[in-house]
Amino acid sequence: MDESGTHEAFMRRALDLARRGAGWTRPNPLVGAVIVKDGAVVGEGHHAVCGGPHAEAVALLEAGERARGADLYLTLEPCVAFPEKRTPPCADAILAAGIRRVIVATADPNPGVSGRGLARLREAGVEVVEGVLADEARRLNEVFFHWIVHRTPFVVLKLALSLDGKIATRTGRSRWITGPDSRRLVHTLRARYGAILVGVGTVLADDPSLTVRDAEGPKPLRLILDSEGRIPLEAKVLSPEARTVVATTNRMPTEVEAALREKGAGVWRLPGEGDRVDLGELLCRLGEETDSLLVEGGSEVAASFLAARRVHKVAFFYAPLILGGREGVPSVGGEGVDDPAQAIRVHDLAFERVGDDFLVTGYPV
């Protein structure tokens, strides 16, 4: 195997390690580290939880004295000292351990780090190789790369739909369109993102809990769009299992707000856009609390986010069903476009079989 192939093999191992922290490191990035000496791995680690040791520190601890003169494979540029840091700077730890070469997938877009960690290593005489599996590394940290620059959440639109694009029958029934494997995977997705959002229409129709049940992971914030205060006080989403916030406008009666707060829910009164919550204002507010948002519906909410160009990724679970019906609920409502040329195009499509269903993911232009 040539050196480029060797670099890619060890970097893939580092990326696999990094994935183990999915959901737990928020809002920090997912990072994996592998230390190699004489062709053998002598230490490895990943960032497991926000506030915990960084991947480099874990790998260096495992390697001990064997790290001297070794190569370090990193999925992200090592950090340097800056005021917000709660852990020692990894660039200094790498130098103290005597690492001779650092192979890194991508630089850190964080303005407090960007380029400084690699510059620190080079200034100290450490050889640095950049760009190994860079695309994979950026995709792994797509949430962090967006949030750290824009300070608004990375938004994923998740829908479960029939082959003919319906999310519910003409009677409004949607349980269950997709199979058990897809539903379990949805719980894994929920654990990876900081917040889950549905409109009050979904609450009224389905009474979802919006909790993580079939997967391990932190509890995301449950966010309900309800501009007028129609949410029932007995709704499952108001249970104490996880934190819930109702995003509303001044159209919500004050007595409804008081009752919701009495139930333990938060209430965000935000500017309205017509008769709806302004999504730009909502995402700015949410970005102060978390890095990512999983939008789960319904039809009009999906249309609003897409029309406002606020969706960064789609995850559509297609079931092998045809619901039919003029009055069946379309996956995306709204006014739609007049011409196919005006449609939102989705690129970098990926397809995955999930039980009897298919998961299609992609990135709207």
Side-chain angles (χ1 to χ4, degrees), residues 164 166 170 323-329:
D164 56 336
K166 301 290 198 301
R170 60 185 177 84
L323 296 182
R326 298 184 194 88
E327 297 179 3
V329 182

Side-chain angles (χ1 to χ4, degrees), residues 33 41-42 45 58 71 109 127 190 205 211 246 268 273 293 315 326 328 347:
V41 174
V42 296
V58 176
D71 291 341
E127 181 184 350
R190 287 178 178 177
T211 54
V246 179
W268 293 351
E273 189 174 31
L293 174 65
R326 298 184 194 88
H347 63 96

Side-chain angles (χ1 to χ4, degrees), residues 2 38 41-42 44 104 162-163 166 205 208 233 249-250 264 279 283 353:
D2 61 15
D38 299 327
V41 174
V42 296
E44 60 183 27
V104 64
S162 62
L163 287 180
K166 301 290 198 301
L233 294 179
T249 66
N250 286 331
L279 296 183
L283 293 176
R353 186 72 179 262

Side-chain angles (χ1 to χ4, degrees), residues 124-347:
V126 174
E127 181 184 350
V128 175
V129 178
E130 290 185 67
V132 177
L133 300 184
D135 290 342
E136 289 92 329
R138 279 190 287 267
R139 184 59 53 82
L140 174 68
N141 272 310
E142 59 191 8
V143 168
F144 175 76
F145 273 51
H146 173 85
W147 178 79
I148 199 65
V149 173
H150 302 284
R151 295 293 176 170
T152 57
F154 183 86
V155 177
V156 179
L157 174 62
K158 188 279 296 181
L159 295 173
L161 59 161
S162 62
L163 287 180
D164 56 336
K166 301 290 198 301
I167 61 171
T169 67
R170 60 185 177 84
T171 61
R173 297 187 62 178
S174 60
R175 293 186 177 181
W176 294 102
I177 289 178
T178 52
D181 293 316
S182 290
R183 297 199 294 274
R184 280 191 291 270
L185 182 53
V186 167
H187 285 274
T188 300
L189 287 177
R190 287 178 178 177
R192 290 179 181 172
Y193 297 105
I196 311 168
L197 180 145
V198 298
V200 69
T202 296
V203 175
L204 293 170
D206 298 336
D207 195 21
S209 298
L210 299 184
T211 54
V212 176
R213 297 185 297 279
D214 295 328
E216 290 188 4
K219 298 177 180 179
L221 170 69
R222 300 178 294 188
L223 190 58
I224 311 301
L225 283 178
D226 184 6
S227 60
E228 297 181 345
R230 295 191 293 147
I231 186 170
L233 294 179
E234 64 274 13
K236 291 178 182 177
V237 78
L238 296 177
S239 70
E241 297 173 77
R243 183 178 167 220
T244 299
V245 167
V246 179
T248 189
T249 66
N250 286 331
R251 300 176 66 179
M252 175 185 279
T254 55
E255 58 270 23
V256 174
E257 177 178 353
L260 288 170
R261 293 189 182 279
E262 182 68 24
K263 289 280 292 184
V267 177
W268 293 351
R269 286 190 182 267
L270 299 167
E273 189 174 31
D275 60 350
R276 298 177 177 177
V277 172
D278 185 296
L279 296 183
E281 294 287 344
L282 172 65
L283 293 176
C284 285
R285 175 70 180 270
L286 186 58
E288 298 172 2
E289 302 217 1
T290 192
D291 60 0
S292 51
L293 174 65
L294 183 66
V295 176
E296 293 202 14
S299 177
E300 294 303 317
V301 169
S304 296
F305 271 87
L306 287 167
R309 299 298 194 267
R310 297 289 182 176
V311 176
H312 304 108
K313 184 177 184 178
V314 296
F316 288 3
F317 290 83
Y318 282 92
L321 305 173
I322 297 174
L323 296 182
R326 298 184 194 88
E327 297 179 3
V329 182
S331 58
V332 179
E335 295 298 322
V337 298
D338 296 326
D339 189 281
Q342 299 171 314
I344 297 171
R345 300 200 67 84
V346 181
H347 63 96

Side-chain angles (χ1 to χ4, degrees), residues 62-80:
E62 182 177 297
E65 282 301 313
R66 294 174 296 175
R68 192 161 301 278
D71 291 341
L72 170 62
Y73 290 82
L74 270 177
T75 59
L76 190 69
E77 174 182 8
C79 62
V80 290

Side-chain angles (χ1 to χ4, degrees), residues 102-137:
V102 173
I103 300 92
V104 64
T106 180
D108 191 331
N110 186 342
V113 177
S114 191
R116 292 174 56 198
L118 298 181
R120 175 87 174 88
L121 297 177
R122 288 188 171 109
E123 289 167 1
V126 174
E127 181 184 350
V128 175
V129 178
E130 290 185 67
V132 177
L133 300 184
D135 290 342
E136 289 92 329

